[in-house]
Amino acid sequence: MNISTNIETYKSTEPTVVTIGTFDGVHIGHQKIIKRLINTGKLEGLKSIILTFFPHPRMVLQKDSNIKLINTIDERHAILDALGLDYLLIKKFTKEFSRLSAEDFVKQILVEKLNAKKVIIGYDHRFGRNRKADINDLKIFGETYGFDVEEISVQDIDDVSVSSTKIRKALNEGDIAKANSFLGYNFMLNGTVEKGKGLGRKIQYPTANIYIEEDYKIIPKQGVYIVKSVIDGDVLYGMMNIGMNPTVNGSTQTIEVHFFNFNKDIYNKKIQIDLLHRIRDEEKFESVEVLKTQLSKDKGTALDYIAKHHGL
């Protein structure tokens, strides 16, 4: 799939079918719409395009917005790529862009840049300056500019909005199983391995400290999780702690992963962590020795889970 981070330099020479949205999470509700988009493209000889916006409009228009997203923009790209989409186009969302009239948006973006012959859109989609235009306006523009408009049903749109809300709620509550069931894949964290204080190594549980650059990325509830990662082609399992390390009087939240049967230097490496299951809340133990005993129990719990669910 091609990706254009600067839609201003993009111009399609082929006819396309387009849908528009943030598609945060690319969850099972989104996937239903995206498969419809891709299948329509194949049936009608059109290239499939998702037009998305970044930063999220709420980040730009509501400065006090503390919205956290399920995916970073790179994660969203990778998931959409795997689904078989032809093009993901990212339009930088600015206050200036938000002031573009509905007709100018249709003419300049959908028609002149994307060469849209069909637009698949939700019944509740609103666009243009002050979000004044709706799907009926889009249909009128379609007659003027030569594209069809296909409406996504109320049911499908409701599935999308309900799923996103439930996923964020589940992550905030630490219910990874529920979040993953709505996503249709494992929730992931992508970050760079940084040097920590080395405490884990001292107690025979060396950890990779994960730094996540994107501050808008949602981080699940603090606690201990069973995780999976692929590093240099090897599938690794382990356990991850999100929290403050209260036993050693930690003062900032960290994300630390202990991989089982792994002893390579991965400092400065960018890795993806898939969250499989949550074991427990983070706790403050009486001593480092008590913590070490609990980690041994956690490892046993994790290995039992991995053997049962992943056949290892």
Side-chain angles (χ1 to χ4, degrees):
M1 179 176 67
N2 293 310
I3 181 166
S4 173
T5 51
N6 183 0
I7 197 172
E8 281 70 23
T9 62
Y10 177 84
K11 190 174 175 71
S12 177
T13 56
E14 301 168 287
T16 66
V17 54
V18 180
T19 193
I20 305 163
T22 51
F23 291 93
D24 183 35
V26 199
H27 56 63
I28 52 177
H30 291 138
Q31 288 171 33
K32 188 175 177 183
I33 294 166
I34 294 161
K35 283 170 186 168
R36 179 164 154 192
L37 175 80
I38 293 166
N39 290 337
T40 298
K42 287 176 180 172
L43 285 170
E44 301 186 21
L46 305 170
K47 291 292 183 182
S48 56
I49 290 181
I50 285 178
L51 173 61
T52 195
F53 306 105
F54 190 80
H56 192 287
R58 272 171 58 186
M59 293 177 184
V60 175
L61 301 177
Q62 301 170 18
K63 281 299 179 191
D64 59 341
S65 174
N66 60 353
I67 185 169
K68 296 291 183 182
L69 302 185
I70 300 163
N71 300 136
T72 66
I73 196 70
D74 289 339
E75 289 166 357
R76 201 186 319 170
H77 175 208
I79 298 160
L80 289 168
D81 194 7
L83 291 176
L85 185 73
D86 287 319
Y87 298 96
L88 170 66
L89 292 177
I90 302 166
K91 170 66 183 167
K92 184 177 181 181
F93 194 89
T94 62
K95 284 188 175 176
E96 291 71 32
F97 175 69
S98 75
R99 297 187 188 110
L100 198 65
S101 74
E103 184 161 10
D104 283 344
F105 170 74
V106 168
K107 184 172 181 291
Q108 293 173 21
I109 305 293
L110 295 184
V111 178
E112 293 175 359
K113 288 195 174 293
L114 305 190
N115 196 13
K117 298 304 174 190
K118 179 172 274 192
V119 179
I120 299 176
I121 212 75
Y123 74 94
D124 62 346
H125 184 77
R126 304 192 72 83
F127 63 101
R129 187 168 187 163
N130 298 323
R131 302 181 76 242
K132 283 184 175 175
D134 61 16
I135 191 166
N136 295 315
D137 296 303
L138 191 61
K139 287 175 179 175
I140 293 167
F141 290 136
E143 290 171 9
T144 303
Y145 293 104
F147 60 83
D148 293 328
V149 177
E150 187 177 314
E151 188 172 331
I152 300 165
S153 73
V154 175
Q155 176 64 48
D156 284 346
I157 288 296
D158 285 350
D159 284 349
V160 166
S161 58
V162 168
S163 295
S164 292
T165 302
K166 285 185 175 177
I167 291 164
R168 289 191 182 93
K169 185 171 185 287
L171 291 170
N172 285 327
E173 292 173 352
D175 192 343
I176 284 297
K178 182 181 279 187
N180 288 350
S181 72
F182 280 110
L183 287 168
Y185 59 88
N186 296 320
F187 175 76
M188 66 190 80
L189 295 171
N190 279 276
T192 306
V193 179
E194 291 192 327
K195 274 194 183 293
K197 294 178 180 175
L199 174 69
R201 189 167 296 281
K202 288 176 187 170
I203 60 171
Q204 285 82 54
Y205 285 93
T207 59
N209 285 56
I210 312 299
Y211 168 70
I212 295 173
E213 183 181 353
E214 298 86 356
D215 59 2
Y216 61 83
K217 168 78 176 182
I218 192 168
I219 306 298
K221 183 181 179 182
Q222 292 183 349
V224 179
Y225 294 83
I226 301 168
V227 298
K228 180 175 90 167
S229 194
V230 178
I231 298 177
D232 296 334
D234 295 327
V235 177
L236 301 173
Y237 291 90
M239 52 191 191
M240 175 178 72
N241 186 74
I242 300 173
M244 307 294 288
N245 297 306
T247 304
V248 292
N249 301 313
S251 57
T252 55
Q253 177 170 284
T254 59
I255 301 171
E256 299 177 65
V257 185
H258 169 70
F259 290 114
F260 305 139
N261 305 316
F262 182 75
N263 197 25
K264 283 185 183 175
D265 181 351
I266 52 172
Y267 288 127
N268 301 316
K269 202 176 191 70
K270 184 138 189 177
I271 62 173
Q272 177 173 309
I273 309 293
D274 288 4
L275 280 66
L276 307 178
H277 183 73
R278 189 172 190 271
I279 299 176
R280 61 173 174 86
D281 287 341
E282 185 178 52
E283 298 174 51
K284 180 168 184 173
F285 297 99
E286 294 173 12
S287 66
V288 172
E289 279 306 310
V290 177
L291 167 62
K292 191 174 172 183
T293 301
Q294 182 61 51
L295 290 175
S296 179
K297 290 179 185 173
D298 293 340
K299 182 174 181 179
T301 301
L303 291 173
D304 287 346
Y305 177 91
I306 294 160
K308 183 177 178 183
H309 296 274
H310 297 271
L312 294 177

